[in-house]
Amino acid sequence: MTNVALRHSPKRRGPALAITIATIALPYLAGTATAYAADDPLKSFPIVIHCQQKDTTHIFYLSRVTDAGLATYVASDRIAGTISLDGQAKAVVGGEGGGNCVGKTLADLRASHQAYDLKPQ
């Protein structure tokens, strides 16, 4: 799922590059997101999403949620994706298609047991 050009680049950049690019791309991907509980976005978005790409499972963790209701998830290998409450998952940085999460909604990811919510104890 990693971009071969980035993986073999002589000037390897850290995860900060992926997050920076995702941050720049977010306003263009946001569209019309449903409002969410700004007080606690963990009530609306899962803390972890896992996606299968060929023979590798990538574990994405919730990194940020914008006021517009767009969540960014990041994983190792400098890959990131976004999803909104009413939209579909999109690979943003470093993906070669995004695996079996791309195009799914939060409801789809939860139904397929690919999303894990934070449960208060």
Side-chain angles (χ1 to χ4, degrees):
M1 197 162 144
T2 26
N3 184 320
V4 175
L6 285 176
R7 187 172 26 148
H8 296 294
S9 172
K11 294 181 180 179
R12 294 182 75 175
R13 311 256 192 310
L17 176 62
I19 293 169
T20 300
I21 293 171
T23 302
I24 293 168
L26 289 178
Y28 300 103
L29 299 173
T32 56
T34 302
Y36 69 98
D39 295 335
D40 189 1
L42 295 178
K43 289 182 179 179
S44 302
F45 291 99
I47 193 75
V48 173
I49 296 174
H50 71 89
C51 307
Q52 187 74 22
Q53 173 70 24
K54 297 183 182 175
D55 60 348
T56 304
T57 299
H58 295 278
I59 309 299
F60 293 85
Y61 63 90
L62 181 62
S63 176
R64 66 181 262 162
V65 179
T66 67
D67 288 340
L70 186 67
T72 301
Y73 288 84
V74 295
S76 61
D77 296 333
R78 296 184 301 265
I79 54 179
T82 61
I83 193 165
S84 63
L85 290 175
D86 61 351
Q88 297 177 337
K90 299 175 184 169
V92 177
V93 178
E96 293 175 355
N100 67 348
C101 286
V102 172
K104 290 185 177 180
T105 64
L106 285 174
D108 296 335
L109 292 167
R110 286 184 171 111
S112 64
H113 305 288
Q114 290 177 268
Y116 295 90
D117 294 299
L118 183 64
K119 306 269 189 225
Q121 302 244 352

